[in-house]
Structure formats: C-alpha cells, structure tokens
Amino acid sequence: MRLVTLDTEGASITGPTATLLYDDWYPALRSDQLRDNQLATAMLLDLPLVLGRRKDGKIFAMRDSCPHRGIPLSVGWFDGERVTCRYHGWEFEPCSGQCAAIPSLTSHDRLDATKIYASAYPCVERDGYAWVYIPGAGAGRKLDAADLPPVPELAKYSGKYRSAHLTADLPCNVDHGIIGLMDPAHGPFVHQAWWWRSRASIREKTKRFEPIPEGFRMAAHAPSGNSAPYKLLGVYGEPVETTIDFVLPNRRYETIRCGSKWFTSLTTVTPVTASTCRIDVIAAWNVFYNVPLVTPIAKFFGAKFVRQDQVTMIQQAEGLRHNPSLMLIDDADKPAKWYFALKQARLDGSGKHPLDGPVELHWRS
Ligand code: FES
Ligand SMILES: [Fe+2]
C-alpha cells in the first residue's frame, strides 16, 4: 500500500532541506517489484537508482545514470544478466557495475571496457524490502555487504507469523519525519479515534529511557492502558511488555511481547530528497494467528493511523514553506532533541551520546 502526497495541482509538496546521513542502509522499494527482467527506479537521498533482479535471483541497485553520457540506465534494456544502455549500447554487469561490452570499439581501439564501472551499490533483500547502502561522496567502492554494518531486520520470535507493510510519502524533510515519528504529544490530537484514544483520555505519563548505541530505548513497560489494541492483547492474561528503540539514522523498532505472543514493527523514515521523505512500516506478529481477517483489519487501521500523520504533515508543509522559527520543549520533545544530538555526533564523528544513563521523562498525552 502506498500513500502519496500531491498538492491541488498534482505537484509533489516539498519543505526545507535537511542534512543527510550517508554510509548507511535505506529501504528503496518492495523487493517483489523486482522481477521478470524489469528495471525499477527509486530515489534515495537525492540519488536516482535503477534496481532489478538477475536471473539467479540476486537483486542489484545502480546509479540510474550511464557513466558514458548520463542517460538513465532505466530507459535501456535488461535481459536478466546485463543492463544495456539505450544510447550507445554499453553493457554492464549490474551487481558490480562493471562494463562488459562497448559495441563501438574496433580492433584498432586499446580501451579495455572492463576497466569502466557504472556506480553500483550494495543491495540486500530483507523483510520484503530492497535495502541499499548509500555511501557518502568519496567513500570509494564498497560492494561487499559483509564489510558493512548489518542490514536492519525486523525481529521475529517464532517460526509462524503474519506480516504487513505500509509506505507513505511525507512532504517534509527527514528530520521533521523522524521527530513526528517519536513525538508522544500529538497522539490524542492527530490520532483521535474511538478505537484508539480520545482527547479526554490524556493523562500524565512517566517513561524511562536509556542510552543504546547510536540511539535510545524506551524501556520495557506495560503500555498505556487507555488504548484499545493493547487491551485486546491483554486477553492472554500475561503481563505485556513493550520496548521501543530509536536508532540512527532513521529506525524505530517496537517489540510487544506477552508470554509466547508477540508483535514487532520496524518503522523507517527515509530521505527521498533533502526536502522530502517516505515512511515505511513493516510489522510481524503471531497474536491472533488463526483468527481470519486480522491481517486486513490490521492493515486498515495501520493505514488509517499513518494517513492521519501524513495529512498533518501536508498541513505542516504549508506552514514550513516560509521557514518559521520552531521550538522543542521539555519533556515531550526531549527524544527529538536526542535525535538531533545523535545525528550531530555522527556527522562530526565525536561519538558523543546525549544520554549518560537512564532518565525518566514526564509528559501528558
Ligand atoms: S550514454 Fe550510455 S552508452 Fe553512451
Ligand atoms: Fe503519529
């Protein structure tokens, strides 16, 4: 499912730009879109990509630009083994980017086509997504996923489970997307619904956070008793424990466990360009495994929830158009402050963590 954002004229909505974090994995698209010698395109961190799946099943991501004269490789041909440029027919092995043939060369030419490379990026299939490693400028060629940080993965705690996913374009930069994702105070206003919570249900909350590498964890606790889905989970009669981790550059992992029953989700906010982003949610669960209709119902409510955030961000984009000055307040916006500090620490290489130990935050939501 994909929710897109367009203004009344059908143009995409953009906001102020954000600094981007390179040298990390980002989800490009659903990997089931890669099949039958077809080429697909995606934009990640302002980088146009062409993706596909080789005959042997391996997926690839290249810069969607021929190294010869820059025409998008996606308008060329792919036979399951080689990508052929539409302009002068240069052929590339897509996983390495190595040029395999230049049709115009004759026996008089000394040029070794195999010394030429199109830009190819590490690309791995995980949880139904094609994850692409986007290197920073001048990082050199890195193609072996084994030398890179691990590809993010949704935790699953049993062999049998159901899963769902959802994608929505957000008309704001990645920073606004991420702080919207971790903002606890918008819930009762943006996500008012009979099945979730109402404005009248606002009460004071105390949450314990602790530092984890490049992120923070909202420590295990019984989730808010004022939300219906958690009440439903309670039917199993065992204590419900939830953990929410935020980890750079853009990941929120949620785990809910109740005895042998579990629900997990991984939400990422990925920069498409410096001023727009996309939210992807993948969830898996073994609760209600045998109850029919649970997956479509979960998808329906999940889409409704994300749609509410999306509508709010479209409205926010209108306000951000004129670059207003903004504020982050304690304690409700403290996680957003930590995010900015973690991001800065990665950018300047200081490795400084904004939390030096566990801390409690208080807010009303
Ligand atoms: S532009 Fe691609 S082969 Fe010339
Ligand atoms: Fe939200």
Side-chain angles (χ1 to χ4, degrees), residues 66-71 73 85-90 92:
C66 178
H68 182 215
R69 213 93 96 221
I71 193 171
L73 290 168
C85 178
R86 152 156 236 121
Y87 207 166
H88 312 94
W90 292 18
F92 301 94

Coordinates of all heavy atoms in Angstrom, one line a residue, residues 66-71 73 85-90 92, ligand 1:
C66 N 24.1 6.4 -17.0 CA 25.2 5.7 -17.7 C 26.5 6.5 -17.5 O 26.5 7.7 -17.7 CB 24.8 5.6 -19.1 SG 26.1 4.8 -20.1
P67 N 27.6 5.8 -17.2 CA 28.8 6.6 -16.9 C 29.3 7.2 -18.2 O 30.2 8.0 -18.2 CB 29.8 5.5 -16.4 CG 29.2 4.2 -16.9 CD 27.7 4.4 -16.9
H68 N 28.8 6.8 -19.4 CA 29.3 7.3 -20.7 C 28.7 8.7 -20.8 O 29.5 9.7 -20.9 CB 28.9 6.4 -21.8 CG 29.3 6.9 -23.2 ND1 28.6 6.7 -24.3 CD2 30.5 7.5 -23.5 CE1 29.3 7.2 -25.3 NE2 30.4 7.7 -24.9
R69 N 27.4 8.9 -20.9 CA 26.9 10.2 -21.2 C 25.7 10.6 -20.3 O 24.9 11.5 -20.6 CB 26.5 10.3 -22.7 CG 26.7 11.7 -23.2 CD 28.0 11.9 -23.9 NE 27.9 11.8 -25.3 CZ 28.9 11.1 -26.0 NH1 29.9 10.6 -25.5 NH2 28.7 11.0 -27.3
G70 N 25.5 9.8 -19.3 CA 24.5 10.2 -18.2 C 23.0 9.9 -18.5 O 22.2 10.2 -17.7
I71 N 22.7 9.2 -19.6 CA 21.3 8.9 -19.8 C 20.9 7.9 -18.7 O 21.7 7.0 -18.3 CB 21.1 8.3 -21.3 CG1 19.6 8.3 -21.6 CG2 21.7 7.0 -21.4 CD1 19.3 8.0 -23.1
L73 N 20.0 4.6 -17.0 CA 20.1 3.2 -17.5 C 18.7 2.6 -17.5 O 18.5 1.6 -18.2 CB 21.0 2.5 -16.5 CG 22.5 2.9 -16.7 CD1 23.3 2.3 -15.5 CD2 23.1 2.4 -18.0
C85 N 22.8 0.0 -22.1 CA 22.4 1.4 -22.2 C 21.7 1.7 -23.5 O 22.1 1.2 -24.6 CB 23.6 2.3 -22.0 SG 23.1 4.1 -22.2
R86 N 20.6 2.5 -23.5 CA 19.8 2.7 -24.7 C 20.5 3.6 -25.7 O 20.2 3.7 -26.9 CB 18.5 3.4 -24.2 CG 17.8 4.3 -25.1 CD 16.4 4.3 -24.7 NE 15.6 3.9 -25.9 CZ 14.7 2.9 -25.9 NH1 14.6 2.2 -24.9 NH2 14.1 2.7 -27.0
Y87 N 21.6 4.4 -25.2 CA 22.2 5.4 -26.1 C 23.2 4.8 -27.1 O 23.1 4.9 -28.3 CB 22.8 6.5 -25.2 CG 22.9 7.9 -25.8 CD1 23.2 9.0 -25.0 CD2 22.7 8.1 -27.2 CE1 23.3 10.3 -25.5 CE2 22.8 9.4 -27.7 CZ 23.1 10.5 -26.9 OH 23.2 11.7 -27.4
H88 N 24.3 4.1 -26.5 CA 25.3 3.6 -27.4 C 25.5 2.1 -27.1 O 26.5 1.5 -27.5 CB 26.6 4.3 -27.2 CG 26.5 5.8 -27.3 ND1 26.3 6.6 -26.1 CD2 26.4 6.7 -28.3 CE1 26.2 7.9 -26.5 NE2 26.2 7.9 -27.8
G89 N 24.6 1.5 -26.3 CA 24.6 0.1 -26.1 C 25.7 -0.5 -25.2 O 25.9 -1.7 -25.2
W90 N 26.3 0.3 -24.4 CA 27.3 -0.2 -23.5 C 26.5 -1.2 -22.6 O 25.4 -1.0 -22.1 CB 28.0 0.8 -22.6 CG 28.9 1.8 -23.3 CD1 28.9 2.0 -24.7 CD2 29.8 2.6 -22.7 NE1 29.8 2.9 -25.0 CE2 30.4 3.4 -23.8 CE3 30.3 2.9 -21.4 CZ2 31.5 4.3 -23.6 CZ3 31.3 3.8 -21.2 CH2 31.9 4.5 -22.3
F92 N 26.5 -3.6 -19.0 CA 27.0 -3.6 -17.6 C 26.5 -4.8 -16.9 O 25.3 -5.2 -17.0 CB 26.6 -2.3 -16.8 CG 27.0 -1.1 -17.5 CD1 26.2 -0.4 -18.4 CD2 28.3 -0.6 -17.2 CE1 26.6 0.8 -19.0 CE2 28.7 0.6 -17.8 CZ 27.9 1.3 -18.7
Ligands
FES1 S1 25.3 7.1 -22.8 FE1 25.2 5.1 -22.2 S2 26.3 4.1 -23.7 FE2 26.6 6.1 -24.2

